[in-house]
Amino acid sequence: MNKRNIYIYVLLAATTLGITSCDKFLDKLPDNRMELNNKEKIQKYLVSAYPDHNPAYLAELYSDNADEFDVTGWGSDGRFYDQAYSWSDITETQESESPQELWNSLYMAMSTANTALQTIEQQGNNSDLMPSKGEALLCRAYAALTLANTFCMAYDPTTASKNMGLPYPTRPETTVGTKYERGTLAAFYEQINRDIEEGLPLVTDNYARPKYHFTRNAAYAFAALFNLYYQKYAKAVAYATRVLGADASSKLRDWKAFNALSVNGQIAPNAYVSVSSQANLLLQTVHSQAGALLGPYRMGNKYAHGQLISEKEDLQSQGPWGRSSNFGYTVWSNNSLSKYFINKVPYAFEYTDVQAGIGYAHSAYAVLTTDLTLLVRAEANAMLGNYDAAVADLNTEVKAYSSGALSVTLEGIKNFYNGIGYYTPTAPTPKKKFNTAFSIEPTTQEPLLHAILHLRRIMTLGEGWRLQDVKRYGIVIYRRTLNASSSVTDVKDSLTVNDLRRAIQLPQDVITAGLTANPRNK
């Protein structure tokens, strides 16, 4: 069988267990599926509705959190990295960070959710199965939003009916060869919204390992994030408040304790994704080399978050709170690496053949946290013109992040961003021009949004969230080449406001199988 067809057809089919090849997949459809005949089996099955890949490193490499270093000894780790950094269509499929692996994982998660939902329907939507139905709907919506964030343009109501969405299967596929259409981004978001709204009232907290499931708090945090992207700001505020309450200060990460941990090894990264942290609402374990690429290893030196970005734009930059390094964290760096980072992305390697030295790299992410949710609420309030509420949320996060050492005021925020120039690639600042279809009030709203995005960029460095802010706010970013002294020697390219490369290209096998590719500028 031509295996290139499995990515669009077979991987959208009903999930089966123990599949090791294309032929076995087809041989087992549909009769040898695990018999989901009770609540416990469905709950166990839904573990596979959480994807085992995350776009974080791909998004970091694609965003303005990376520069290219032309330094002897800091070579590329392969064509995937060259293609991703240069915003080329990525043809490499073997890397765990590749669009191909991400696509497969996310659609397999949706397929698992669909099989569970069909089973629940066949069993009469019994009341004791409703929590599993809610979880399956949230899992399907989460995978879909991750797909949209990666492979589509940013959502805006003025363009969403024109921009392409992606296939959104809602039933298990039981025959090979079913063809899918991409539809519009507006329709794709509408389906995500339907799944979230139906799933929210059904989810519970009754899990053996709740931090790896859509508990109520995780579900409402996800709903708040989605509605921020959907530009439904009042709903984003309401859902975030369901998680945080009116005063979020007691629910945030203990940054002082985290910053006190050793920056070497896996102590701090493992603590960052610990189930015992009250800030972590949803954790995800993944196949990934991100912990090595973003950590204290020689991998990832060619394209990296280096000293210039750190000092001028985020970790060590000036902000309305003062110098960002005064937040209390230790910025990891040394002369043998190009990278400046906070060591918080864990790395582990599982050997499948110790003698041959081969196996799988693993990592983990806190994909939903109370701190992220607080900044979602702050941004949504800023967009609604609720400036006092937005500043209060931002200030709560600044105080928590700095262990009480720093704070902000609206006047201070306005003075800071009005007092610095907009970013250019050779004169970088943390203030990057917004180019949005929606209007932004320049006197108060714009500097407040700059502050929220500035803090989120610092706080979530290495987690992939920055690319979504770049896309949503039409921020122009550049491909710069730096020397060993972190001086800019060349500016090769820019990702302009209407550049269609803002939507990462679909995997080549999917395009070859017949799904319409993302368009590219002529």
Side-chain angles (χ1 to χ4, degrees):
M1 179 179 183
N2 187 344
K3 291 193 177 182
R4 73 187 185 190
N5 293 326
I6 71 173
Y7 296 103
I8 182 60
Y9 303 139
V10 177
L11 283 184
L12 297 187
T15 306
T16 61
L17 303 181
I19 296 166
T20 58
S21 73
C22 180
D23 291 337
K24 289 184 179 179
F25 192 108
L26 296 177
D27 290 342
K28 291 179 181 292
L29 270 175
D31 296 328
N32 287 347
R33 186 180 298 120
M34 175 181 178
E35 188 177 2
L36 304 177
N37 55 10
N38 61 47
K39 178 177 67 175
E40 289 71 25
K41 288 183 179 180
I42 293 173
Q43 288 177 338
K44 183 177 180 181
Y45 183 67
L46 280 172
V47 171
S48 297
Y50 295 87
D52 59 4
H53 286 72
N54 186 290
Y57 180 74
L58 174 61
E60 290 292 299
L61 199 58
Y62 214 81
S63 76
D64 54 352
N65 280 347
D67 281 318
E68 178 181 2
F69 289 85
D70 185 13
V71 178
T72 301
W74 292 353
S76 170
D77 293 292
R79 288 181 60 192
F80 162 77
Y81 305 92
D82 299 334
Q83 292 172 341
Y85 176 79
S86 64
W87 305 317
S88 301
D89 292 353
I90 299 170
T91 59
E92 297 302 296
T93 62
Q94 300 305 310
E95 294 288 340
S96 56
E97 323 300 329
S98 71
Q100 184 78 75
E101 292 295 321
L102 180 65
W103 176 278
N104 295 349
S105 177
L106 292 167
Y107 272 113
M108 189 62 81
M110 293 182 75
S111 178
T112 301
N114 284 338
T115 300
L117 288 167
Q118 183 186 63
T119 301
I120 292 167
E121 180 182 335
Q122 290 171 344
Q123 295 188 19
N125 286 308
N126 295 333
S127 59
D128 64 336
L129 298 179
M130 288 301 97
S132 292
K133 181 176 181 178
E135 183 180 14
L137 288 166
L138 268 296
C139 285
R140 187 167 72 182
Y142 174 79
L145 182 62
T146 306
L147 284 161
N149 288 346
T150 306
F151 298 108
C152 298
M153 301 293 280
Y155 178 89
D156 188 273
T158 62
T159 58
S161 61
K162 302 174 184 177
N163 288 336
M164 285 195 291
L166 293 165
Y168 202 117
T170 58
R171 306 289 294 179
E173 181 185 325
T174 56
T175 59
V176 177
T178 301
K179 292 188 177 182
Y180 292 87
E181 301 296 331
R182 293 194 59 173
T184 67
L185 187 58
F188 198 73
Y189 262 66
E190 287 166 7
Q191 182 60 55
I192 296 174
N193 186 58
R194 282 194 292 271
D195 280 354
I196 290 174
E197 292 301 317
E198 186 178 357
L200 277 178
L202 302 178
V203 294
T204 69
D205 298 326
N206 187 25
Y207 298 105
R209 303 180 71 197
K211 293 296 179 77
Y212 292 93
H213 294 269
F214 272 111
T215 60
R216 290 188 181 96
N217 277 343
Y220 278 98
F222 171 56
L225 177 70
F226 167 74
N227 278 283
L228 178 70
Y229 290 178
Y230 203 19
Q231 298 186 20
K232 309 293 186 183
Y233 301 119
K235 285 178 69 175
V237 170
Y239 288 150
T241 301
R242 285 286 297 265
V243 179
L244 302 169
D247 180 8
S249 58
S250 64
K251 298 181 179 180
L252 304 177
R253 188 177 300 277
D254 186 346
W255 292 104
K256 184 176 182 179
F258 174 75
N259 292 334
L261 297 173
S262 172
V263 297
N264 297 310
Q266 297 300 305
I267 296 173
N270 287 338
Y272 193 80
V273 297
S274 171
V275 296
S276 64
S277 172
Q278 65 177 357
N280 293 335
L281 302 177
L282 181 64
L283 299 172
Q284 180 187 15
T285 56
V286 295
H287 296 285
S288 175
Q289 298 190 86
L293 292 160
L294 299 170
Y297 305 91
R298 293 187 64 83
M299 292 177 65
N301 264 334
K302 178 71 171 177
Y303 310 110
H305 178 274
Q307 182 180 5
L308 185 61
I309 300 176
S310 182
E311 291 182 351
K312 300 299 183 181
E313 300 182 51
D314 50 45
L315 293 178
Q316 297 165 298
S317 66
Q318 290 291 332
W321 40 76
R323 188 165 182 81
S324 297
S325 55
N326 290 336
F327 277 123
Y329 45 62
T330 298
V331 179
W332 204 105
S333 67
N334 67 36
N335 292 333
S336 67
L337 301 179
S338 60
K339 298 176 276 187
Y340 278 57
F341 59 92
I342 306 299
N343 194 14
K344 62 180 181 179
V345 181
Y347 177 73
F349 195 86
E350 175 188 355
Y351 285 99
T352 56
D353 187 327
V354 176
Q355 290 185 336
I358 58 175
Y360 299 97
H362 296 276
S363 190
Y365 288 99
V367 292
L368 294 170
T369 69
T370 53
D371 297 85
L372 178 65
T373 304
L374 182 58
L375 292 188
V376 165
R377 189 170 73 180
E379 184 184 343
N381 270 319
M383 292 306 301
L384 290 168
N386 300 331
Y387 300 141
D388 289 344
V391 173
D393 280 344
L394 180 62
N395 201 37
T396 296
E397 187 59 56
V398 167
K399 288 181 177 179
Y401 200 38
S402 66
S403 303
L406 305 177
S407 62
V408 292
T409 63
L410 182 57
E411 196 63 27
I413 290 168
K414 292 163 67 173
N415 289 339
F416 176 78
Y417 292 103
N418 290 334
I420 61 175
Y422 285 108
Y423 171 101
T424 70
T426 54
T429 73
K431 179 182 174 183
K432 297 195 174 182
K433 187 174 178 59
F434 299 148
N435 300 280
T436 57
F438 53 87
S439 61
I440 296 176
E441 188 277 320
T443 304
T444 301
Q445 191 176 51
E446 181 182 337
L448 182 52
L449 289 170
H450 280 305
I452 294 166
L453 268 61
H454 190 176
L455 183 61
R456 178 156 56 224
R457 185 180 185 185
I458 294 169
M459 192 175 71
T460 64
L461 181 65
E463 299 175 57
W465 294 110
R466 174 61 180 174
L467 182 59
Q468 304 315 315
D469 288 349
V470 167
K471 292 169 69 171
R472 293 186 305 119
Y473 281 89
I475 297 171
V476 178
I477 61 176
Y478 299 85
R479 297 289 76 156
R480 306 183 298 185
T481 303
L482 276 57
N483 60 20
S485 300
S486 290
S487 297
V488 178
T489 60
D490 192 16
V491 180
K492 295 180 178 179
D493 199 359
S494 63
L495 198 66
T496 55
V497 179
N498 297 315
D499 196 319
L500 296 174
R501 294 176 296 176
R502 286 174 176 265
I504 293 174
Q505 188 57 273
L506 273 55
Q508 292 300 308
D509 282 348
V510 174
I511 297 169
T512 303
L515 199 62
T516 304
N518 282 331
R520 289 292 181 251
N521 298 92
K522 295 181 180 179

